[in-house]
Amino acid sequence: METPLAILFVDIADSTQLYERMGNVEAAALTQKMLRHLRMVIEGKRGQVIKMLGDGLLGAFPTAEEAGWAAITMVESQAAFRLQLRVGLHFGPVVQRTEDLYGDACNVCARVEALAKPSEILATEDFVLLVSEGLKRRTKPLNNISVKGKSAPLRIHQLCLAEVADEPTDNMTVAASSLPELSAQSRLTLHLAYKGAVFTVDAEQGRLRIGREESSALRILSRRTSRQHAVIDFSRESFILTDHSTNGTFVRSGDSLPVALKRDSTKLVGAGLIGFGAEPEHDGQDHVAAFRCELA
């Protein structure tokens, strides 16, 4: 049975650099402290933490108003933890099962969160239409985005920490992944082949989550692979793979030796193999995907 809920995705920005800067033990402790705080904020606004998402959380609220104020509270308090957050908000029907939410609304919210800059809260128009006038005065319309599976583009708003002055929409600055910039780079595509299926990623699709859990955009069916193993982002005209796993990620381009990642990132160049949890030997292994970057 579907239930309309306000959905919140929150993620610690640049977590890879955090581990590099502070070291694994201190960074992990600070991350867990922040996640406990985010849980308290969600529950304090009558929300429910649905599940952990690597260095973030998925939360659900009965109303958009409560979710909006929770997001503002999160970003207002981030400085105390010396961290920056990205937050995405959407309202729509979902199916709630044990420890997860399912439905198109979740996919939309994840896409919106992936577009947010560090310290930024982005929300869909479906969400903004349901909040109070006081909260609406803290929103600023940005631009439309195309979402995979949606026939019409979605209107995106920035939710600010204070009220914003009225200004013409034509003068607005579009969010982190602005459409003109994405369009200019949209010729670059990434093809990932796994167990006979090919996944094509371009600059407009935002973050691709890879792992063993069912909600992963690319699900790797191997016990060596973590539930939330890695993500691929489009940044600075390149596809960047970031490892969040227990066993590490191994990238082999062409005939070169594999690059081992552990809480680290690398640029995907040319073509090769990615081993999610162990070194790749050939593309028939259950933990291995083949990749190819292409200029269309």
Side-chain angles (χ1 to χ4, degrees):
M1 180 178 175
E2 288 188 332
T3 304
L5 291 173
I7 305 162
L8 180 150
F9 275 98
V10 57
D11 192 36
I12 297 173
D14 300 325
S15 58
T16 300
Q17 288 83 351
L18 174 70
Y19 277 83
E20 181 178 338
R21 186 176 72 250
M22 301 182 67
N24 290 341
V25 174
E26 189 176 351
L30 181 59
T31 297
Q32 290 304 309
K33 187 177 179 181
M34 170 57 95
L35 292 176
R36 286 194 296 271
H37 171 70
L38 296 178
R39 177 182 289 272
M40 289 177 59
V41 172
I42 290 172
E43 293 174 348
K45 299 294 184 182
R46 291 205 310 142
Q48 177 186 1
V49 175
I50 303 299
K51 64 177 180 178
M52 306 282 289
L53 295 166
D55 294 327
L57 297 173
L58 165 62
F61 299 77
T63 71
E65 185 78 7
E66 289 158 324
W69 285 113
I72 288 173
T73 301
M74 289 174 178
V75 175
E76 285 179 335
S77 61
Q78 66 181 10
F81 297 86
R82 295 171 293 150
L83 296 172
Q84 291 181 298
L85 303 172
R86 288 189 302 258
V87 187
L89 297 165
H90 181 54
F91 191 95
V94 294
V95 176
Q96 186 165 4
R97 300 279 169 79
T98 305
E99 297 182 351
D100 211 348
L101 295 178
Y102 299 90
D104 179 64
C106 293
N107 297 330
V108 170
C109 192
R111 173 75 170 102
V112 171
E113 185 269 334
L115 290 174
K117 294 181 291 188
S119 302
E120 186 174 49
I121 306 166
L122 296 183
T124 63
E125 187 146 291
D126 287 344
F127 182 92
V128 172
L129 290 174
L130 296 174
V131 302
S132 67
E133 288 303 315
L135 207 50
K136 277 191 178 76
R137 288 194 291 270
R138 294 175 180 241
T139 64
K140 181 167 64 173
L142 297 177
N143 210 331
N144 296 338
I145 63 166
S146 297
V147 176
K148 187 177 180 180
K150 288 287 193 181
S151 57
L154 296 175
R155 183 71 162 175
I156 299 299
H157 297 250
Q158 185 184 56
L159 180 57
C160 304
L161 303 187
E163 292 187 11
V164 296
D166 292 334
E167 56 182 289
T169 303
D170 289 344
N171 293 333
M172 295 293 181
T173 300
V174 181
S177 301
S178 64
L179 291 184
E181 181 181 357
L182 287 175
S183 177
Q185 308 300 338
S186 61
R187 294 178 58 198
L188 182 65
T189 57
L190 172 68
H191 305 281
L192 293 164
Y194 180 71
K195 289 190 174 294
V198 178
F199 301 80
T200 299
V201 186
D202 60 32
E204 294 185 359
Q205 288 177 267
R207 172 168 291 186
L208 178 76
R209 298 182 187 274
I210 303 167
R212 201 174 72 246
E213 67 174 15
E214 292 183 9
S215 61
S216 301
L218 174 55
R219 190 181 182 200
I220 304 297
L221 303 175
S222 172
R223 297 188 66 178
R224 303 178 184 185
T225 304
S226 297
R227 291 176 61 83
Q228 295 109 24
H229 193 99
V231 297
I232 294 176
D233 294 294
F234 184 82
S235 176
R236 298 182 182 179
E237 306 179 25
S238 303
F239 289 101
I240 307 297
L241 185 149
T242 302
D243 173 79
H244 295 297
S245 71
T246 301
N247 295 329
T249 302
F250 301 81
V251 180
R252 191 175 79 199
S253 297
D255 296 326
S256 62
L257 293 174
V259 173
L261 304 176
K262 196 70 178 287
R263 298 280 180 172
D264 204 350
S265 302
T266 190
K267 181 190 297 185
L268 296 178
V269 178
L273 300 176
I274 306 173
F276 298 99
E279 290 192 18
E281 297 177 4
H282 56 82
D283 58 8
Q285 294 175 289
D286 61 3
H287 69 286
V288 175
F291 74 91
R292 176 168 54 88
C293 297
E294 181 179 70
L295 277 173

